[in-house]
């Protein structure tokens, strides 16, 4: 270690560990009191519904709330124990060994893992700052590639923080219709937008209740809290019903207590203000992260996101690059990051993901300064 | 319909539907107020643990509570979204197409379905009033059958209500050790015993923390409520860790909010009295069911259970037997039952399962009287 590094590790708050790795909210932006109240209200309003088995479609009042939000009949909706469980069910239905699946490069590591474990033939398509390279998708289709599924995280993508443009959304839906594949619109971050204007979902562009080529997934992990483990799918009733049968065979029903609490919270008075507080805090954190990166790591390139949890940093290529060394040097300085290699089948050696969702705004500068030192040490 | 039947369907409370089909508690024996209090306490005590992602082993304080209850280190325990999800994970690990699995005849329909969907070579072994016919198991083993897994519901079995004797428990553990298979001890009803003496678990007989041949599953659905969807596995750490990896890839973590509520409830003041109330109510219901069956359906044979939710009724064999006709005639009289055929790969035409968990004691006599009429009509 250099002298400068020793300095940072002994100076009070400077030494505090900072995790840019955790894609989760800090507890100060979770409305714990609101959840307590929602739990009271939910048990009082519907003791039988909360405590009984229920069915695999989910807690019926919550299912109806979600259907109304998306303007579809309830038969299009299935509520699950977190949206990753929804992904798993959908993959189990649509992906068998050899099934071709298109996904973004980079993308969420657990999605890649889930697809590879099922033996999918995963083809990764370049992710640009305005979303997946749709003409690269069109080119693959023109070459005869026949995907069953195209997975995208359209809004504030994990790991990049990028958002798919309207034009590209329209083009993807058009391609899905022409070539008869399903767009899996994996959209857990959409409701934590802190700047810019919302875009229509591909579910809507494909006709909402009439959609045949989009399965939409979302979650309350980012708007309420992750520990409540409530996510959902919206899609064509035939697909949703296949998932329902699979879910019944797996767990009879998802968590009625948790879904009842979510329903009471969403329909209660506190939700709008609490969501605003989440967005405001995330916006502050990303603003400070943007500033600190420009100051301490000026060679980094990144796009400041308009919402979500993540920002993707690319460094100039250099001889013998190895992001694992940066990760290790950062860890030695109490700073956790996730290497770009985790989100790709190959490459990513000059990149890493920074999650700002769990970092207090006052810790950002110190974390980025130590990260810059780690980059210098790894390349020194 | 006969005149007598029409009488019963027009006379006030006589006409009320009675479900002997639902293996779930009526809401009056769920301590809703206690759950409300537990939710308050849990969010107050551990807001970060309740609302954060957690990990696939489950909510750590609950995992520790379960480990202490069973006298094993925490590495032996994994808490899931209901015990059926635990079954599914275990089957995914241990059962591939062609894997030989022994199970009881009759047994829980969803267990049979889960095994068959995974392509298991399922061999059903006679269930006797003191549990699975262990010498039939020994005979199969002697013939060269090599099961990976033997599934039993040892206590107040579903659908029969029978309990595996101590001698047979000891013999099964001995056979598992000799022939190196895993006993899956699926025990969700064990803690709702309303008469008789508890028996040691096979997990304990195999050495508890030293056990290598038993994986134990249990649930809080019967002691707290089903909608909370919390179950667990206890077993050799190597198996538990494989399940942990699979669970992580499926849903990151189970429901922290629900598991936090369960933990607060179990460690709070109300649980012991609430559990006594559940047992007392179930005991009353089974007493009345016993009496009513003897009065209205004297040709039925059954064993009065000492706990749990279920009682298995066998009728004398007769020409052209068809339990589906009894089910239909009962349904026409507002009484729901589950046919014996649902719990067997073949046979069961003279049997049905009666669940008394959801039937108020005052409705039992009317339900059984109409059921007796349905039997007479189906055989008439």
């Amino acid at each position: 270690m250099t002298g400068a590094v020793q300095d940072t590790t002994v100076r009070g708050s400077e030494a505090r560990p900072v995790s840019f790795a955790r894609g989760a909210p800090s507890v100060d932006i979770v409305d714990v009191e609101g959840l307590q109240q929602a739990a009271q209200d939910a048990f009082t309003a519907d003791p039988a519904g909360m405590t009984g088995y229920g069915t695999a479609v989910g807690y019926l009042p919550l299912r109806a709330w979600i259907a109304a939000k998306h303007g579809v009949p309830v038969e299009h909706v299935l509520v699950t124990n977190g949206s990753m469980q929804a992904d798993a069910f959908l993959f189990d239905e649509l992906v068998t060994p050899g099934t071709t699946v298109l996904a973004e490069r980079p993308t969420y590591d657990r999605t890649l893992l889930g697809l590879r474990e099922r033996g999918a033939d995963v083809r990764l398509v370049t992710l640009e700052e305005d979303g997946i390279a749709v003409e690269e998708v069109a080119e693959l289709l023109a070459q005869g590639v026949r995907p069953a599924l195209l997975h995208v995280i359209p809004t504030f993508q994990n790991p990049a923080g990028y958002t798919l443009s309207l034009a590209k959304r329209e083009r993807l839906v058009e391609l899905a219709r022409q070539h008869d594949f399903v767009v899996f619109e994996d959209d857990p971050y959409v409701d934590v937008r802190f700047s810019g204007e919302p875009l229509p979902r591909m579910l809507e562009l494909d006709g909402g209740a009439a959609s045949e080529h989009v399965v939409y997934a979302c979650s309350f992990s980012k708007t309420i809290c992750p520990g409540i483990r409530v996510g959902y799918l919206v899609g064509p009733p035939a697909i949703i019903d296949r998932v329902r049968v699979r879910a019944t065979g797996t767990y009879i029903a998802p968590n009625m207590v948790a879904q009842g609490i979510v329903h009471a919270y969403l329909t209660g008075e506190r939700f709008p203000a609490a969501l605003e507080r989440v967005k405001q805090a995330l916006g502050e954190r990303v603003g400070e992260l943007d500033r600190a990166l420009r100051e301490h790591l000026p060679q980094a390139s990144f796009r400041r996101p308009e919402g979500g949890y993540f920002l993707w940093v690319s460094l100039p290529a250099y001889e013998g690059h190895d992001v694992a060394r940066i990760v290790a040097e950062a860890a030695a300085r109490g700073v956790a990051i996730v290497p770009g290699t985790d989100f790709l089948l190959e490459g990513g050696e000059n990149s890493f993901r920074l999650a700002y969702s769990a970092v207090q705004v006052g810790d950002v500068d110190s974390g980025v300064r130590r990260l810059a030192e780690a980059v210098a040490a790894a390349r020194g």
Side-chain angles (χ1 to χ4, degrees), chain A:
Chain A
M1 277 193 189
T2 67
V5 172
Q6 286 179 334
D7 277 350
T8 65
T9 55
V10 293
R11 265 189 276 147
S13 72
E14 291 294 301
R16 190 157 56 207
V18 173
S19 176
F20 291 118
R22 290 183 57 224
S26 51
V27 72
D28 60 293
I29 57 173
V30 172
D31 179 15
V32 175
E33 276 180 34
L35 286 168
Q36 277 181 310
Q37 187 59 51
Q40 294 308 289
D41 295 346
F43 277 117
T44 300
D46 186 16
M50 290 274 285
T51 62
Y53 273 104
T55 72
V57 298
Y59 183 64
L60 296 181
L62 179 59
R63 187 193 196 204
W65 187 94
I66 293 166
K69 170 176 172 140
H70 292 287
V72 297
V74 293
E75 293 70 26
H76 293 243
V77 179
L78 181 130
V79 197
T80 57
N81 292 319
S83 71
M84 206 172 112
Q85 173 82 70
D87 301 4
F89 284 142
L90 190 71
F91 290 166
D92 283 338
E93 283 303 319
L94 300 184
V95 179
T96 51
T99 302
T100 301
V101 180
L102 306 184
E104 296 160 310
R105 182 177 62 235
T107 193
Y108 182 40
D109 47 345
R110 292 195 193 279
T111 301
L112 280 183
L113 187 67
L115 290 169
R116 296 174 78 179
E117 281 177 349
R118 288 169 181 82
D121 172 22
V122 181
R123 309 288 184 97
L124 297 184
V125 177
T126 307
L127 180 68
E128 300 167 331
E129 292 200 356
D130 61 349
I132 192 169
V134 288
E135 292 316 315
E136 199 176 312
V137 173
E139 179 58 29
L140 286 169
L141 295 165
Q143 288 168 11
V145 172
R146 288 289 165 265
L149 202 64
L150 179 148
H151 177 269
V152 281
I153 306 170
T155 321
F156 320 133
Q157 201 249 13
N158 181 5
Y162 303 159
T163 294
L164 188 62
S165 68
L166 176 58
K168 284 186 169 181
R169 289 172 190 235
E170 288 170 338
R171 179 73 171 127
L172 273 188
V173 169
E174 182 182 67
L175 290 170
R177 289 174 170 184
Q178 281 171 0
H179 296 271
D180 199 24
F181 61 82
V182 171
V183 175
F184 182 16
E185 185 172 18
D186 191 1
D187 211 17
Y189 307 103
V190 64
D191 289 324
V192 288
R193 173 182 284 277
F194 38 76
S195 62
E197 291 303 315
L199 293 170
R201 295 171 175 84
M202 285 178 281
L203 176 71
E204 296 157 17
L205 297 174
D206 192 40
S211 168
E212 293 181 356
H213 291 94
V214 176
V215 175
Y216 183 84
C218 197
S219 162
F220 297 100
S221 291
K222 283 74 188 177
T223 50
I224 299 181
C225 73
I228 201 89
R229 309 303 305 123
V230 180
Y232 62 88
L233 292 178
V234 183
I239 293 178
I240 295 299
D241 198 61
R242 285 167 62 188
V243 173
R244 179 191 64 75
V245 172
R246 183 173 291 275
T248 303
T250 304
Y251 54 42
I252 304 176
N255 205 290
M256 293 295 126
V257 169
Q259 295 190 9
I261 294 173
V262 166
H263 178 257
Y265 189 70
L266 292 170
T267 56
E269 288 179 2
R270 297 174 62 114
F271 178 56
L275 182 56
E276 282 310 308
R277 197 164 58 249
V278 170
K279 294 191 223 176
Q280 189 190 348
L282 292 174
E284 281 175 15
R285 290 170 193 183
V286 89
E288 174 65 358
L289 181 57
D290 183 13
R291 189 205 57 71
L293 283 169
R294 289 176 200 277
E295 178 178 339
H296 302 304
L297 203 62
Q299 71 273 39
S301 59
F302 62 93
R303 183 184 172 90
R304 178 172 166 166
E306 297 187 328
Y309 283 6
F310 306 111
L311 180 151
W312 181 255
V313 173
S314 296
L315 298 173
Y318 70 106
E319 292 276 334
H321 52 206
D322 179 0
V323 72
R325 285 186 57 199
I326 300 176
V327 171
E329 292 285 351
R333 289 163 177 81
V335 175
I337 61 172
V338 181
T341 46
D342 275 18
F343 304 99
L344 293 155
L345 298 177
E346 53 186 40
E349 292 291 357
N350 295 308
S351 306
F352 48 83
R353 185 190 78 173
L354 298 183
Y356 46 88
S357 52
V359 184
Q360 299 298 323
V361 70
D363 289 335
V364 170
D365 187 78
S366 157
V368 173
R369 201 157 37 68
R370 283 182 270 165
L371 177 58
E373 291 166 2
V375 169
R379 301 194 157 193

